Amino acid sequence: MSKLDNTFGQQTVSQNERSKKIRRVFQLVAPRYDLMNDFMSFGTHRIWKRFFVNYIPFKSTDIIVDLAGGTGDIARKLTRKGANVIVVDPSIEMMQAGKNSNSHPVLNIAAIGEKLPFADSSIDKLTISFGIRNMTSMSEALKEIHRILKPGGQYYCLEFSRPMMPIRPFYNLYNQYVIPRLGAMVARQPEAYQYLIESIKRFPHQEEMKSLIEDAGFSKVTYRNLFFGIACIHIGTNES
Ligand SMILES: C[S@@+](CC[C@H](N)C(=O)[O-])C[C@H]1O[C@@H](n2cnc3c(N)ncnc32)[C@H](O)[C@@H]1O
């Protein structure tokens, strides 16, 4: 179990409670999620996501699952490049909020990462962007992802991580003081954004994340830092 699995913000809660509270956060932020992302990251999340999508090689026959796909940002970018993408997310509100901007057909499925509605070894690639830290159990979700990937299938994860010194203190101050205020002003949900910040702060750093992915059975696990490690892409292969 990861150190995040039983926490919600600074509280210790049961997994069931954590899952309900996370659901509620995304229900609340859904209508303004994309706008808020632009504000919080000064638009850099778009650069990271573009970079992430360009990092993923695929064949036109590949089935890609975008887990915790939310408003469909990654799915949209992938389908524009000709990929077949299925978005999986428990929040109907988030998927609904992205519906109007999905000009390409994307199948949306309401489900959680810890119990994926796919057969063993049936999926070519699985992407997850800013979603893995919201899982009720990160280790269970990683095992599920490993289960559904075909032999040779790959896992691609884009997530906040631990920035390098000397920018770390500035980044921490920005997260602590600016983001909750932006959350209050733009998304009008300060508590929800407080949760998001806590989940970023407690999230495993680059090497810890690599070990968690390996523990779930993945091989050839590598990572690439973006913007001095503020974000990071982890890649793992199912070699079983
Ligand atoms: C920060 S958003 C990221 C959305 C999108 N991937 C992006 O990059 O903009 C996190 C998403 O994780 C979803 N989520 C929360 N708990 C989940 C779980 N247990 N399994 C799968 N997705 C979950 C939320 O509903 C939300 O849409």
Side-chain angles (χ1 to χ4, degrees), residues 11-168:
Q11 297 169 280
T12 301
V13 291
S14 72
Q15 286 207 8
N16 192 19
E17 217 178 321
R18 177 175 145 81
S19 156
K20 278 196 202 141
K21 282 174 182 271
I22 294 175
R23 266 327 131 77
R24 180 84 186 125
V25 164
F26 289 102
Q27 194 181 4
L28 291 173
V29 302
R32 298 192 142 216
Y33 174 79
D34 287 330
L35 177 69
M36 188 61 198
N37 263 355
D38 282 334
F39 266 94
M40 279 185 345
S41 71
F42 303 109
T44 49
H45 77 107
R46 289 179 187 274
I47 304 173
W48 295 337
K49 285 176 177 169
R50 213 173 306 131
F51 188 88
F52 179 58
V53 165
N54 288 335
Y55 220 69
I56 304 166
F58 62 84
K59 296 199 284 279
S60 58
T61 50
D62 281 355
I63 303 291
I64 305 180
V65 167
D66 185 41
L67 178 58
T71 54
D73 235 7
I74 296 296
R76 224 167 4 253
K77 288 179 174 50
L78 282 167
T79 49
R80 268 190 213 125
K81 294 180 73 189
N84 306 302
V85 188
I86 304 172
V87 169
V88 175
D89 196 294
S91 171
I92 307 232
E93 292 82 2
M94 286 288 281
M95 293 189 286
Q96 201 68 44
K99 265 242 145 97
N100 295 339
S101 37
N102 275 338
S103 46
H104 295 261
V106 172
L107 180 63
N108 289 294
I109 299 181
I112 54 169
E114 297 83 350
K115 209 168 179 3
L116 291 169
F118 303 103
D120 295 357
S121 311
S122 58
I123 301 297
D124 296 282
K125 296 204 157 74
L126 185 138
T127 57
I128 182 162
S129 145
F130 303 113
I132 191 78
R133 85 193 115 93
N134 299 305
M135 298 294 136
T136 314
S137 166
M138 210 162 4
S139 40
E140 263 177 52
L142 284 166
K143 283 190 194 133
E144 259 304 85
I145 293 167
H146 186 266
R147 178 188 69 76
I148 66 161
L149 282 172
K150 290 179 183 171
Q154 282 178 310
Y155 165 69
Y156 289 86
C157 172
L158 170 65
E159 190 48 87
F160 289 109
S161 202
R162 181 181 289 183
M164 296 159 194
M165 292 299 257
I167 64 158
R168 199 180 301 159

